[in-house]
Structure formats: C-alpha cells, structure tokens
Amino acid sequence: MFTVKNNVDLQQKTEILVVGIFNQNQQTQGLMAEIDEALGHELLTFIKEGDIAVKAKQVSKLHTFGKLGAKRLFFVGLGKKEKLTEQDLKESFGLLFKAVQQAKLQEVSIALETFLTDNLDTYDAAHALSEAWPLATYKFEDYKKKSNEPEKQLEHVIVYADGDEKELQAALTVGYTYGKATNSARTLVNLPGNMLTATDLANYAAELAERYHFELEILEKEDMEKLGMGALLAVNKGSVEPPKMIVLKHQGKEQWDDVIGLVGKGITFDTGGYSLKPKDGIVGMKTDMAGAASVLGAMEIIGELKPEQNVVAVIPSTDNMINGEALKPDDVITSMSGKTIEVLNTDAEGRLALADAVTYAKHHGANYLVDVATLTGGVIIALGMHTTGAMTNNEEWFEQVREASMEEGEPMWQLPIFEKDKERVRGSKVADLNNSPGREGHAIMGGAFIGEFAEDTPWVHLDIAGTSEAKANHALGPEGATGVMVRTLATLVERFEAK
Ligand code: BES
Ligand code: ZN
Ligand code: ZN
C-alpha cells in the first residue's frame, strides 16, 4: 500500500512523480531546483505561462519527455506557504487523488518534502496524505445494472520523505485507518432503509465486535421492556422491524473507570410518524442513522488502534413508522430514567431514542458522554451544512471535543442551553418533559431535552443534521454521506484526559 523511501531518486522509472508547489520563489531550492535543472530551467516559464498552477487546490500535469525518470509530473498547487493549514493540505491531497483516480493510475510516487511548511512536518503531511486517499476516492457501490465494474485503482503509493521510516509508516497507517473507517460510516449512511434495518445495524456492530474483540450487547425488545426503555420502545411502536439497543465496549485500561460514552442516533428511516413529514421532506431520511454510523466508524478506528481508554458505544436503533399501534401526538410515555414525556411531535423521535440510550450509557458506567445525531432541521437553518451544532453541560469537556474536531477539520459551533431553554422542555402540563416545545430555537430544544437525561454527567450533544451529508462532490469525497464526526470521535478518544 505505502512504501517509504528516504531519498527522492529523480531518475527512478515511474509513471508519475507528485510534487507540491507553493506560490513563491522556492523553485530554485532543493528538489525543485533539481527538477528545474532537469527540465532545462523552464519551471518558471511553465508557471508564468500557466502550465503549472501554483494556486491552492489546483493539480497540473506535465510530461517530462524522458528528462526525468517519471513519465509525468503532477504539480499540486499549494498557494502561500504561510497560509497552508493541515486541512488545506488534506484537501489538496484529496484533489490529487481524484486526479490520480481519473487517470486510472495504479501507482504514484510523492515527494513529501515539497509539501512541508514551518507548521506542518513530515508526519503531519503523511497523516494528511494517507487519510485523503481513501476519503477522496470513496465511491458508494450503487445498484445500477451496469455500474460498479471493477476499474483500475490506485494500489501503491511510494512516499519519499525524510524521517524515521517506522514512524512514517505508523503515521501513514493511522491516517489510512481514519479515512477507511470514515468510508465505512459513509456506506452505512448511504444504504437505503430497506437494506439497513435496526437488525442489520446490530449485525454490523456484531461483526465489528468479533473483528476487534469488543464486548457486545444487543438488547432485544423484551430486554428493553424489562429495563423500562419506554422512550425507544415508543418510537418503535409503529414498526414491523424489531428495535435494537446496540452496545459495544472497548476496555483499554485495567479498571473500568473514566469511561467515554459515545451515543449515536440510529433511526434507519424517519417518516416522522403520525406527525408525518411532507413528501419532499421524507426523501433522504434513510440517513437518519448517521450518528450511529459516526460512532461505529469511530469504534472501527478504536478497534484498529486500540487506545488505552475505556469506551462504551450505545446505539438506539429502530425506524420511525406508522401503523395502528404507532405512537401518537399527546401520548405520554415513561423513559428508562423514570422521567415521563409528553409526545407533542412524533417527528422529534431522535431525542426519545437518545434519552434511553444516554441513560443506558450511564448505566454502563459512562462518565463522559458525547451524543451524535441528525436531530433537527433547525441546526441547518442556524449553522448551514458545514458546521455541526454543539451543546453541552460542561465547558471543559466541550473543549476537549472541540479541540479534536479542529484537529480533524470538522468544524463545530456551540449553541447555548440556558435555564429558560430548560424550562421550555420541562414545560409540559401532564409530564416531566415534552419532546417538542415549538419551533423557536428548535436545535437547542433537541439538545436541552437530551441534556435532561445526561443530568450531571459531562455531556456534549452534536447535531449533524447538516454536516452528515454533502450536497455536491468535494475535495475529500463525493456527494452524499460525509462520515462526519468519525474522525473527531476517534481523536477525542485518543487524546482524552480525565479531569
Ligand atoms: N431526522 C430529523 C431531522 C433532520 C432534518 C435530519 C433534516 C436531516 C435533515 C428529526 O427527527 C426531525 O424530524 N426533527 C424535527 C424536530 C421537530 C419536530 C421538533 C425537525 O427538525 O423538524
Ligand atoms: Zn423526526
Ligand atoms: Zn429523525
């Protein structure tokens, strides 16, 4: 997959050599000077004439006419050196791999040293590169008769880089694992509701458990009844598909303490229930288990890298359907926590499922909680499609989550939960809580509701209704599921410090 070599050999016969090129006069230094010389000192002319773009996010191809060992050079434009962030670098590599894929190349060589800046060292660049490869070239195998014929794929990347070979290989493996696991999550999200039921999701988790030796627990409907999980059961009432509460445990420490609970909304299809979604709003609701996919993707990374941390993943899963037995507006239900809930809107089902999941995560010893959910359309109105909405009851814990998200280039922005907001979810005349206090600030209402079940346990709620899907092809993936928060959650676990 990756071969690390310490010195670039410009005479080495190969199809493609990739170099990064900044928007400045570094063309006369180091490797670039050697390339320039081999090309008859025409590099600057090529840049001036526009044959090689030095602007960020541009890839130019140049035939070497036998002047170098490589048949072609791929120049990855990087813009101004001092401005290049790790995310820019990842996206630049993403565009490179898309170009490589389009050219149906099976092998490329990359001169990593040409991508480095004062802030980004060889290992950062190796991580960015190896993560970008699977992300950028991801494709969901569709169901068209003619497609999915095996195409030539990139199989081998030769990385020329200075540095410790073992450490470089490790950075490359970690990055690649992060990218691959994100793609696994994308595939789960892209699967239609008839092909990914709660049972399928549970089977998928069971496969992960077997592969990575996680402890596995799948609660069936009868188990949930015994435990009093009235909130998740309520969502499932209108369905012919059995619900599942999926639990995976990774014990990375001797003692089961300082446990991180990762909770993911696993609604495999959301019709809205009797508060039925309009015909346009219902299309696409197969993605309502993206939170569950993020958690399972993160567990894949955790399984591969085995951090010395304790993690419990909890996924409440069902579809949200209608039949004669289905949950109705005005119904009052009792959650596992004992808190009663007046259901004003059956389309606010995610928070019901998560209520019992959060309680159950605490039951399994979670001391720190993160829930990830496609919870509200409101978060899209508030923050758009590129920013995850975050809410918390503990600023220090949120800071750890936010730092992980910044490291991974998955932006989030905090929305407040003030006392007045809590009062609104507690404002039912007949029950402890109501699941839908109205449209005003409704992303916050979703968070505030789940917060009632986190209680005093440090907790962060991530509303990914906008960020779990890309409307168009982008540098690090195609249109469709993004796998957002897989990498943030995994990084959070890797970097976690108990406070
Ligand atoms: N799954 C939806 C949220 C959603 C909307 C995800 C659009 C992705 C794209 C959620 O269950 C829902 O329906 N939320 C309601 C909440 C409301 C009834 C309080 C919403 O956002 O309208
Ligand atoms: Zn809904
Ligand atoms: Zn939903």
Side-chain angles (χ1 to χ4, degrees):
M1 194 157 350
F2 293 103
T3 305
V4 177
K5 292 187 181 171
N6 276 139
N7 292 310
V8 186
D9 178 1
L10 286 178
Q11 295 316 318
Q12 173 79 44
K13 289 267 172 264
T14 170
E15 273 296 304
I16 305 289
L17 177 65
V18 181
V19 290
I21 190 150
F22 287 99
N23 184 7
Q24 65 191 56
N25 294 330
Q26 44 111 238
Q27 282 67 319
T28 49
Q29 292 164 22
L31 185 65
M32 277 302 173
E34 285 176 49
I35 292 174
D36 186 35
E37 196 182 329
L39 296 176
H41 296 287
E42 293 294 352
L43 206 58
L44 282 176
T45 316
F46 286 130
I47 294 172
K48 248 192 230 145
E49 298 283 321
D51 297 286
I52 299 173
V54 293
K55 268 200 195 151
K57 319 266 163 79
Q58 305 239 12
V59 179
S60 325
K61 303 167 190 176
L62 197 76
H63 208 293
T64 64
F65 298 108
K67 290 175 179 165
L68 292 170
K71 198 162 154 197
R72 279 193 180 77
L73 289 169
F74 274 25
F75 289 90
V76 180
L78 297 169
K80 293 226 162 64
K81 202 168 198 170
E82 57 287 358
K83 277 198 175 162
L84 189 80
T85 64
E86 193 163 352
Q87 183 63 15
D88 293 331
L89 186 58
K90 254 182 224 176
E91 288 179 17
S92 301
F93 280 132
L95 293 170
L96 164 72
F97 284 114
K98 285 191 179 225
V100 166
Q101 189 180 39
Q102 216 168 24
K104 298 195 167 65
L105 299 167
Q106 284 170 295
E107 182 179 288
V108 290
S109 306
I110 300 183
L112 208 57
E113 69 178 76
T114 57
F115 290 86
L116 309 185
T117 72
D118 291 344
N119 302 319
L120 297 169
D121 67 16
T122 315
Y123 305 101
D124 300 329
H127 184 107
L129 168 86
S130 52
E131 191 173 290
W133 172 11
L135 287 178
T137 56
Y138 171 77
K139 191 171 172 284
F140 179 66
E141 305 253 314
D142 58 37
Y143 307 99
K144 294 182 188 182
K145 233 191 209 164
K146 275 201 175 147
S147 67
N148 302 320
E149 275 159 22
E151 280 186 354
K152 273 195 189 161
Q153 275 186 4
L154 178 62
E155 275 161 14
H156 188 199
V157 177
I158 299 163
V159 182
Y160 292 112
D162 286 329
D164 182 74
E165 220 175 291
K166 262 206 179 139
E167 271 184 59
L168 273 164
Q169 272 292 358
L172 289 165
T173 308
V174 169
Y176 195 77
T177 303
Y178 269 63
K180 275 287 196 192
T182 305
N183 287 348
S184 306
R186 287 171 171 181
T187 295
L188 288 174
V189 176
N190 286 329
L191 281 166
N194 63 330
M195 296 191 190
L196 187 84
T197 62
T199 303
D200 296 324
L201 205 58
N203 290 341
Y204 181 87
E207 279 169 32
L208 279 188
E210 193 170 302
R211 193 177 333 144
Y212 298 120
H213 309 290
F214 295 138
E215 198 182 306
L216 170 77
E217 181 185 57
I218 310 268
L219 296 185
E220 305 295 337
K221 191 172 174 176
E222 305 73 56
D223 305 317
M224 297 176 202
E225 280 162 357
K226 277 185 205 139
L227 287 161
M229 292 183 172
L232 174 58
L233 285 167
V235 180
N236 179 255
K237 272 175 78 187
S239 177
V240 294
E241 287 291 335
K244 305 278 168 179
M245 184 68 91
I246 303 163
V247 182
L248 290 172
K249 274 188 193 174
H250 161 75
Q251 182 157 358
K253 303 203 288 186
E254 222 150 85
Q255 301 292 328
W256 186 247
D257 55 13
D258 296 326
V259 180
I260 307 168
L262 304 178
V263 181
K265 172 175 172 181
I267 300 296
T268 56
F269 194 84
D270 182 12
T271 66
Y274 273 102
S275 311
L276 189 62
K277 286 185 184 294
K279 62 180 178 298
D280 293 332
I282 209 166
V283 177
M285 278 301 138
K286 65 175 184 180
T287 64
D288 213 17
M289 35 54 70
S294 305
V295 169
L296 290 170
M299 289 307 284
E300 182 176 327
I301 298 173
I302 289 164
E304 288 283 343
L305 305 180
K306 308 226 177 301
E308 290 176 7
Q309 307 283 6
N310 293 330
V311 182
V312 58
V314 180
I315 292 166
S317 189
T318 172
D319 45 8
N320 184 23
M321 304 293 285
I322 297 178
N323 66 13
E325 288 175 85
L327 182 68
K328 306 176 294 300
D330 291 347
D331 283 359
V332 175
I333 59 178
T334 305
S335 64
M336 185 188 179
S337 73
K339 290 186 181 170
T340 56
I341 303 162
E342 179 186 15
V343 176
L344 294 179
N345 192 323
T346 61
D347 198 11
E349 84 299 338
R351 64 198 72 182
L352 299 178
L354 289 165
D356 282 343
V358 162
T359 303
Y360 201 50
K362 290 201 294 186
H363 184 89
H364 273 287
N367 311 102
Y368 298 83
L369 289 163
V370 182
D371 81 78
V372 190
T374 47
L375 206 72
T376 66
V379 83
I380 307 176
I381 305 299
L383 297 172
M385 301 285 288
H386 301 291
T387 310
T388 293
M391 283 145 258
T392 188
N393 61 4
N394 184 304
E395 295 299 328
E396 273 181 60
W397 177 226
F398 173 62
E399 198 45 37
Q400 289 199 41
V401 177
R402 201 180 67 89
E403 272 172 23
S405 83
M406 291 206 306
E407 191 174 334
E408 284 305 325
E410 300 190 309
M412 56 177 62
W413 198 257
Q414 193 181 358
L415 300 172
I417 300 176
F418 290 120
E419 279 309 308
K420 291 271 182 222
D421 300 314
K422 294 181 191 168
E423 281 170 23
R424 286 175 64 201
V425 298
R426 293 172 187 161
S428 167
K429 292 198 178 76
V430 295
D432 298 318
L433 302 167
N434 83 73
N435 80 332
S436 181
R439 285 171 57 81
E440 299 85 4
H442 93 230
I444 294 175
M445 291 304 111
F449 183 90
I450 299 167
E452 294 294 313
F453 299 87
E455 297 175 308
D456 294 332
T457 306
W459 153 83
V460 171
H461 162 61
L462 299 174
D463 193 336
I464 57 166
T467 48
S468 54
E469 253 188 292
K471 281 202 170 142
N473 186 22
H474 54 108
L476 292 170
E479 178 187 339
T482 58
V484 74
M485 293 303 139
V486 167
R487 293 173 290 140
T488 292
L489 293 180
T491 302
L492 172 71
V493 168
E494 285 205 277
R495 306 262 184 275
F496 172 70
E497 279 175 41
K499 290 267 157 70

